[in-house]
Amino acid sequence: MHMMLRRGLSGTAAGRPPTALVLMNLGGPATQEDVHPFLLRLFSDSDLIQIPFQSMSSRFIARRRTPSVQGHYAKIGGGSPIGMWTEKQGRAAASQLDTLCPSSSPHKAYTAFRYATPLTADMIAQLKADGVRRAIAFTQYPQYSCSTTGSSLNELVRQLRVHDPEGSISWSLIDRWGQDRLLAKAFAQLIRDGLERFPADVRDSVVVLFSAHSLPMSVVNRGDTYPTEVAQTAQRVMEELGAGHVHRVIWQSAVGPRAWLGPATEASLKGLPRVGVRNALLVPIAFTSDHIETLFELDLDYIPKAKEWGFDNLRRTESLNDHPAFIECLASLAARHIEGTHDTSKDFAVRCANCTNSACDDTRHFFAKA
Ligand code: GF9
Ligand code: FES
């Protein structure tokens, strides 16, 4: 990748194709009509879920779940804001990157969602239309999981085989950044702002509750690093905060009858007041933007029940969204990646000990020779 970059220097800034910063995420339905196709893609994702007769079962499950999911989105303003936030974050980060890394400028941000538009294939079409030769796949999940970033990357490699078979674009990868210092600083700022909104006399006793999306235990037991990585982010943030609050990591949004990683956020919120915790601040630690799991589950389902569960004060921090400290984090991560010597993290090369998915192997090979 670095050879490619240096060669790029020969072009003039004006005529040179952009270096692509491809922000990858799960995505969300922007409108009510987008809910069904979104769910259908989710349940059809065999890197995420393996169900018998998947193409038929996924249709059945998606259709069955659409009305209730549409209802949830109706309550948060009709659709997911993730497309809007991703575009804002990308534009702002790319513009800072032009200053940080003039040799690879101009930088242009693109969005690739796993289950919503713009899909991976849409993104590749845009890259080709812009004549992009060098692209950075930048996962927007700070902590790596094979069910999130892994699925997005497997899809990227599959789609590139179809839509860029000649390999005209040189790819490198930012696959995890949960231990980044600027990320911890950005979260610490949100937490300080959140703590300000508690009565001064209880502020020091506020317990910081890092709430992350849960994982099926089958994924945890396969060897997924996400639970550890989430705990590491929480640790970094607490060090950055340096104020001596108690913290816990809790797991939200489990669905269905199978076993999921706990303790669950809801069970924790019901239980903590009974062991004397009266003031707590929820921090969504695994998503960088507002999304259904914070806006609906935390804000509209759990927080309104706080008094009934025994809290004096239960609040949540803002999401990172377009916070200047977060934009600085994104731009700095991309700049260090461009100036560095690694095409992926070292961790990326080591698959889950119990992985049986050949797509995961294909994806590692793709990035190893990029
Ligand atoms: C996840 C973040 C972290 C059943 C279909 C609903 C399965 C799943 C996840 C993990 C999302 C965001 C993790 C399944 C099967 N998973 N969700 N894994 N999701 N739902 O394997 Cl930041
Ligand atoms: Fe983790 Fe394949 S499931 S590497």
Side-chain angles (χ1 to χ4, degrees):
M1 108 201 187
H2 299 96
M3 302 305 284
M4 293 300 288
L5 256 186
R6 305 263 138 73
R7 244 182 278 146
L9 282 173
S10 56
T12 62
R16 195 193 290 168
T19 299
L21 195 62
V22 178
L23 306 189
M24 311 189 83
N25 211 334
L26 175 154
T31 69
Q32 297 280 312
E33 294 76 60
D34 297 326
V35 170
H36 179 259
F38 172 83
L39 291 177
L40 184 56
R41 290 186 197 102
L42 177 78
F43 290 105
S44 306
D45 178 0
S46 58
D47 294 325
L48 178 72
I49 322 166
Q50 295 83 36
I51 38 179
F53 311 104
Q54 188 139 7
S55 95
M56 212 168 55
S57 323
S58 58
R59 262 158 236 287
F60 177 78
I61 304 168
R63 196 171 296 278
R64 195 186 51 189
R65 289 219 183 162
T66 294
S68 95
V69 174
Q70 279 177 332
H72 292 177
Y73 278 103
K75 291 198 173 123
I76 65 154
S80 169
I82 193 167
M84 180 271 288
W85 285 123
T86 305
E87 272 179 39
K88 271 197 180 170
Q89 291 158 345
R91 235 194 319 272
S95 134
Q96 283 195 15
L97 204 48
D98 285 344
T99 313
L100 294 171
C101 294
S103 67
S104 50
S105 70
H107 305 84
K108 185 172 171 187
Y110 300 81
T111 301
F113 287 145
R114 184 64 186 86
Y115 310 119
T117 53
L119 292 161
T120 304
D122 304 323
M123 174 274 293
I124 297 169
Q126 283 193 26
L127 260 58
K128 295 198 91 171
D130 290 348
V132 167
R133 305 300 306 277
R134 208 246 138 151
I136 300 159
F138 188 174
T139 183
Q140 292 303 295
Y141 305 100
Q143 304 89 8
Y144 182 88
S145 170
C146 289
S147 68
T148 57
T149 299
S151 167
S152 281
L153 295 175
N154 290 354
E155 176 71 0
L156 174 64
V157 170
R158 278 191 298 265
Q159 293 294 329
L160 284 171
R161 283 215 180 93
V162 178
H163 299 290
D164 185 29
E166 63 280 16
S168 67
I169 303 164
S170 164
W171 286 87
S172 65
L173 170 61
I174 303 175
D175 52 87
R176 69 201 71 205
W177 40 286
Q179 300 209 51
D180 184 71
R181 168 91 202 285
L182 293 178
L183 178 69
K185 269 181 91 165
F187 272 123
Q189 283 194 35
L190 297 177
I191 293 172
R192 278 188 208 103
D193 293 345
L195 289 168
E196 280 298 306
R197 303 189 349 267
F198 284 78
D201 59 320
V202 303
R203 201 167 289 149
D204 290 344
S205 72
V206 173
V207 171
V208 178
L209 299 176
F210 293 99
S211 185
H213 200 295
S214 186
L215 283 186
M217 281 312 291
S218 57
V219 176
V220 176
N221 294 339
R222 192 165 61 199
D224 204 272
T225 57
Y226 171 85
T228 313
E229 295 195 20
V230 169
Q232 286 168 330
T233 304
Q235 183 67 32
R236 291 282 169 122
V237 173
M238 293 314 289
E239 282 164 15
E240 194 62 46
L241 192 64
H245 290 270
V246 171
H247 81 276
R248 292 288 185 269
V249 179
I250 57 181
W251 307 93
Q252 66 178 80
S253 313
V255 285
R258 299 179 310 152
W260 289 71
L261 177 63
T265 296
E266 182 172 15
S268 300
L269 293 177
K270 285 177 178 161
L272 285 169
R274 283 186 269 148
V275 296
V277 175
R278 299 268 182 274
N279 297 283
L281 180 60
L282 286 159
V283 184
I285 190 81
F287 291 115
T288 60
S289 309
D290 286 329
H291 61 287
I292 192 86
E293 284 84 356
T294 43
L295 298 174
F296 183 80
E297 198 171 335
L298 299 183
D299 295 359
L300 298 179
D301 195 0
Y302 300 158
I303 291 178
K305 294 174 183 150
K307 286 269 146 60
E308 175 192 321
W309 286 337
F311 282 102
D312 293 332
N313 302 279
L314 176 67
R315 301 180 167 279
R316 86 156 166 96
T317 57
E318 296 296 315
S319 299
L320 293 166
N321 293 339
D322 62 350
H323 194 290
F326 180 56
I327 302 302
E328 191 188 332
C329 164
L330 291 177
S332 166
L333 276 161
R336 279 173 278 150
H337 177 78
I338 289 169
E339 286 157 2
T341 53
H342 297 291
D343 281 354
T344 72
S345 75
K346 276 178 132 184
D347 274 294
F348 185 66
V350 181
R351 287 159 61 202
C352 298
N354 299 315
C355 171
T356 55
N357 184 351
S358 63
C360 301
D361 191 36
D362 297 344
T363 298
R364 266 97 191 142
H365 279 110
F366 176 87
F367 284 102
K369 64 173 155 51

